[in-house]
């Protein structure tokens, strides 16, 4: 029997409609199941269901809300093996990463469970006598959440946790490439939440487009820049609040003062973790000339030791990329790097495997420059490009020379360089002696320029998006 992933609207599953096959990227002949695409009246029903449930959910006692979010988090953690296996099967990341992501999603819900009790307002003195002012926050209403495939449960968690904690209800549109993970998540949420508080519409971009044009009060999106722009325009038409987290081209500057082994370890983690399919992936390595050759030799050796394989196989360090479409796109960037004049040091194409899947070899180019398209456009795969510079100052200038601005690292033992970089790198996150990927969940996350639009996600700052402020004046008479 095939697995069916339908939509969840007001506590009811809708399992009939147009089907989209869910392919296992580790074994592409295997169909894991079929998602059932929501139709337009189901999308409207999902929004109406969330609208109806919102005042009821908002009125639930804070401690009860906290307990519900905590229990959701606990169940995800307890079932991280089971759901992690489903996630890795359809997304392709190694099982340890899939399980870790589900566990992390649980941590998000528990973090926001505690935030339920931390909703503390402000008071102010008035410029007029005898008047008291209070500043409080209220839910924004119904939030439409449109999520990608690369962190299918963690990203949903970091949007849904604050949405629910601050009294909003939700319609989630997960990626069409990871419907099974979304289905498992929806089952957990449905079990713990009152009907209609969480709704999910499955489907591809057309379903996302319909949701972003619907009467939701806010839309939070993570995905590509072109889609983010469309969603922002649709949201503005309805005067809905919008938050988009999109692509990037994250640099690591490695200076002559760096610990080279640390630089290698962080670059491997940043460039090849999750097969490079992260918006925080380290895709531009900017290395000072005097250490370039030593770094390159060690970096290539370390990359060649990485075991590419089936997501669920013991010992796999890099799984396949998510789909045939993504694989072809990444392969075309590998060809582009060659034609633009980059020197291929390792990889450059598909990796051998006993399985028929979307396996790519970790790929490193050097002798690239920042004018090349491969250093300007997001590749979203296991490929990174090295640029040689004469000084730290040139490195910083190249790092900042991008239309994006999500995450930037420096590897150095110089406090002066580290401090200067933290002050002058024009990115949402700046890291010292760490890769651009791997960020904590209780502090703000987001970028600048084309990487992000709207307020920050994560930590308590997420309330700036999911609440609206009220200023009350009282004249005691
Ligand atoms: P990626 O290429 O990483 O999948 P996308 O931006 O295409 O990035 O997809 C991210 C999410 O946005 C997915 O859930 C996808 O279905 C959805 N999506 C794609 N196109 C649109 C659109 N025009 N409007 C709204 N959502 C969309």
């Amino acid at each position: 029997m095939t697995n069916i992933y339908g939509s969840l609207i007001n506590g009811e599953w809708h399992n009939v409609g147009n089907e989209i096959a869910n392919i296992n990227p580790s074994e592409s002949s295997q169909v894991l199941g079929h998602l059932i695409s929501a139709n337009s009246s189901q999308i409207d029903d999902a929004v109406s269901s969330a609208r109806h449930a919102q005042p009821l959910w908002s009125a639930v006692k804070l401690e009860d809300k906290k307990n519900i979010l905590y229990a959701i988090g606990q169940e995800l953690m307890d079932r991280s093996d089971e759901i992690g296996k489903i996630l890795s099967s359809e997304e392709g990341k190694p099982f340890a990463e899939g399980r870790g992501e589900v566990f992390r999603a649980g941590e998000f819900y528990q973090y926001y469970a505690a935030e339920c009790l931390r909703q503390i307002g402000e008071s102010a003195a008035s410029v007029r006598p005898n008047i008291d002012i209070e500043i409080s926050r209220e839910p924004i209403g119904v939030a439409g959440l449109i999520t990608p495939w690369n962190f299918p449960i963690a990203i949903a968690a970091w949007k849904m946790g604050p949405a629910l904690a601050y009294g909003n209800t939700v319609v989630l549109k997960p990626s069409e490439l990871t419907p099974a993970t979304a289905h498992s998540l929806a089952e957990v949420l449905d079990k713990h939440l009152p009907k209609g508080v969480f709704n999910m519409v499955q489907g591809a971009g057309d379903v996302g487009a319909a949701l972003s044009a619907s009467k939701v009060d806010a839309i939070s999106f993570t995905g590509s820049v072109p889609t983010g722009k469309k969603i922002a325009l649709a949201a503005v038409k309805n005067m809905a609040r919008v938050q988009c987290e999109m692509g990037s081209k994250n640099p690591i500057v490695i200076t002559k003062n760096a610990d080279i082994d640390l630089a290698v370890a962080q670059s491997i983690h940043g460039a090849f973790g999750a097969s490079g399919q992260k918006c925080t992936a380290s895709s531009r390595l900017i290395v000072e000339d005097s250490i370039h050759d030593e770094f390159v030799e060690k970096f290539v050796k370390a990359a060649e030791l990485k075991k590419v394989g089936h997501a669920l196989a013991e010992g796999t360090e890099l799984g396949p990329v998510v789909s045939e479409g993504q694989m072809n796109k990444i392969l075309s960037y590998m060809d582009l790097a060659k034609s633009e004049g980059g020197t291929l040091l390792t990889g450059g194409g598909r990796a051998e495997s006993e399985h028929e899947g979307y396996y790519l070899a970790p790929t490193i180019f050097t002798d690239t420059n920042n004018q090349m398209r491969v250093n300007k456009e997001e590749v979203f795969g296991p490929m990174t490009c090295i640029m040689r510079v004469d000084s730290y100052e040139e490195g910083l200038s190249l790092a900042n020379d991008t239309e994006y601005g999500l995450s930037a690292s420096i590897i150095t033992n110089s406090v002066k360089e580290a401090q200067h970089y933290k002050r002058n790198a024009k990115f949402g996150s700046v890291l010292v002696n760490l890769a651009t990927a791997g960020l904590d969940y209780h502090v703000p996350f987001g970028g600048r320029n084309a990487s992000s639009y709207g307020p920050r996600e994560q930590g308590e700052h997420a309330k700036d998006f999911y609440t609206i402020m009220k200023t009350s004046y009282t004249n005691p008479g």
Side-chain angles (χ1 to χ4, degrees):
M1 217 187 73
T2 180
N3 291 312
I4 291 291
Y5 316 115
S7 295
L8 178 69
I9 301 164
N10 201 28
E12 303 287 330
W13 288 98
H14 296 260
N15 293 331
V16 181
N18 292 337
E19 296 187 356
I20 302 178
N22 184 23
I23 307 288
N24 180 352
S26 296
E27 194 70 81
S28 52
S29 59
Q30 194 188 355
V31 176
L32 298 165
H34 289 88
L35 78 78
I36 307 297
S37 195
N39 62 33
S40 56
S41 71
Q42 288 168 338
I43 298 163
D44 289 345
D45 289 349
V47 175
S48 304
S49 152
R51 175 77 57 211
H52 177 76
Q54 195 275 321
L56 307 171
W57 173 244
S58 178
V60 167
K61 279 192 345 209
L62 284 185
E63 279 180 320
D64 291 347
K65 277 203 201 89
K66 178 203 77 168
N67 291 338
I68 290 172
L69 292 190
Y70 199 86
I72 292 168
Q74 196 58 50
E75 180 162 352
L76 290 175
M77 290 173 178
D78 293 345
R79 293 176 57 192
S80 58
D81 267 16
E82 172 208 338
I83 301 175
K85 195 169 164 197
I86 293 171
L87 193 165
S88 289
S89 298
E90 66 179 353
E91 199 273 347
K93 64 181 67 171
F95 174 55
E97 289 181 30
R99 179 178 50 200
E101 186 188 329
V102 178
F103 197 87
R104 174 50 62 93
E107 290 175 319
F108 270 107
Y109 283 100
Q110 294 201 338
Y111 172 84
Y112 284 106
E115 283 297 308
C116 288
L117 298 183
R118 216 172 287 132
Q119 302 191 46
I120 299 163
E122 296 165 63
S123 62
S126 172
V127 294
R128 291 165 286 165
N130 281 330
I131 290 179
D132 294 325
I133 302 178
E134 292 152 57
I135 301 157
S136 54
R137 287 175 182 266
E138 295 184 357
I140 181 113
V142 175
L145 311 178
I146 301 176
T147 52
W149 47 264
N150 64 332
F151 289 95
I153 200 160
I155 294 180
W158 79 54
K159 294 182 189 301
M160 205 134 27
L164 296 175
Y166 300 123
N168 304 282
T169 52
V170 161
V171 180
L172 171 69
K173 205 304 280 176
S175 168
E176 60 276 27
L177 294 177
T178 48
T181 307
H183 188 85
S184 300
L185 172 67
E187 282 179 339
V188 173
L189 293 167
D190 185 40
K191 183 165 139 194
H192 293 279
L193 287 164
K195 263 188 192 177
V197 172
F198 167 77
N199 304 271
M200 177 176 72
V201 286
Q202 293 266 23
D206 55 326
V207 175
L211 180 61
S212 46
S214 74
K215 298 269 178 245
V216 292
D217 301 296
I219 301 175
S220 179
F221 163 76
T222 301
S224 62
V225 175
T227 303
K229 282 187 181 164
K230 286 183 204 159
I231 288 174
L233 286 171
V236 165
K237 267 194 190 154
N238 288 327
M239 295 286 177
R241 201 174 266 197
V242 64
Q243 170 184 64
C244 297
E245 289 300 338
M246 300 166 285
S248 196
K249 205 65 205 164
N250 309 294
I252 304 185
V253 174
I254 302 168
T255 77
K256 61 177 183 294
N257 299 308
D259 171 336
I260 305 262
D261 292 332
L262 179 70
V264 168
Q266 294 301 329
S267 302
I268 289 282
H269 167 61
F272 302 125
S275 296
Q277 300 173 113
K278 292 182 179 187
C279 51
T280 52
S282 312
S283 59
R284 295 185 296 147
L285 306 184
I286 302 170
V287 185
E288 262 195 82
D289 185 46
S290 58
I291 54 156
H292 173 275
D293 293 353
E294 184 187 351
F295 169 77
V296 159
E297 193 193 324
K298 290 184 169 172
F299 183 47
V300 169
K301 243 186 218 155
E304 287 175 347
L305 288 176
K306 286 274 150 194
K307 192 166 179 316
V308 180
H310 191 294
L312 300 185
E314 190 84 23
T316 292
E317 293 176 286
L318 262 81
V321 297
V322 70
S323 67
E324 191 176 6
Q326 281 298 122
M327 179 179 73
N328 290 335
K329 183 179 152 208
I330 299 161
L331 285 170
S332 75
Y333 273 113
M334 291 177 180
D335 290 343
L336 180 67
K338 290 175 206 158
S339 69
E340 287 187 305
T343 304
L344 177 66
L345 296 171
T346 187
R350 296 184 73 160
E352 303 239 319
S353 169
E354 75 226 51
H355 301 280
E356 192 58 48
Y358 310 128
Y359 299 100
L360 293 176
T363 296
I364 304 170
F365 286 93
T366 192
D367 301 326
T368 70
N369 66 57
N370 216 38
Q371 307 318 313
M372 294 178 177
R373 275 180 54 204
V374 281
N375 280 323
K376 288 184 177 295
E377 298 171 18
E378 192 174 42
V379 175
F380 226 64
M383 163 175 159
T384 193
C385 293
I386 300 172
M387 289 179 270
R388 206 189 274 258
V389 288
D390 287 330
S391 63
Y392 157 74
E393 288 74 19
E394 189 188 351
L396 171 65
S397 149
L398 283 194
N400 280 335
D401 180 17
T402 170
E403 65 174 286
Y404 294 108
L406 189 60
S407 181
S409 297
I410 184 167
I411 311 284
T412 181
N413 280 331
S414 157
V415 174
K416 197 172 157 196
E417 282 174 355
Q419 191 61 13
H420 188 269
Y421 195 76
K422 279 195 282 182
R423 289 191 179 146
N424 293 288
K426 298 190 179 348
F427 289 78
S429 299
V430 182
L431 301 100
V432 176
N433 289 330
L434 290 163
T436 52
L439 304 170
D440 283 9
Y441 59 91
H442 61 303
V443 285
F445 172 70
R448 298 184 183 185
N449 306 323
S451 289
S452 292
Y453 186 76
R456 290 284 184 259
E457 301 202 78
Q458 304 191 12
E460 65 167 317
H461 295 81
K463 68 171 174 267
D464 291 338
F465 183 71
Y466 290 104
T467 63
I468 190 151
M469 282 205 223
K470 178 175 274 176
T471 312
S472 313
Y473 294 81
T474 306
N475 174 1

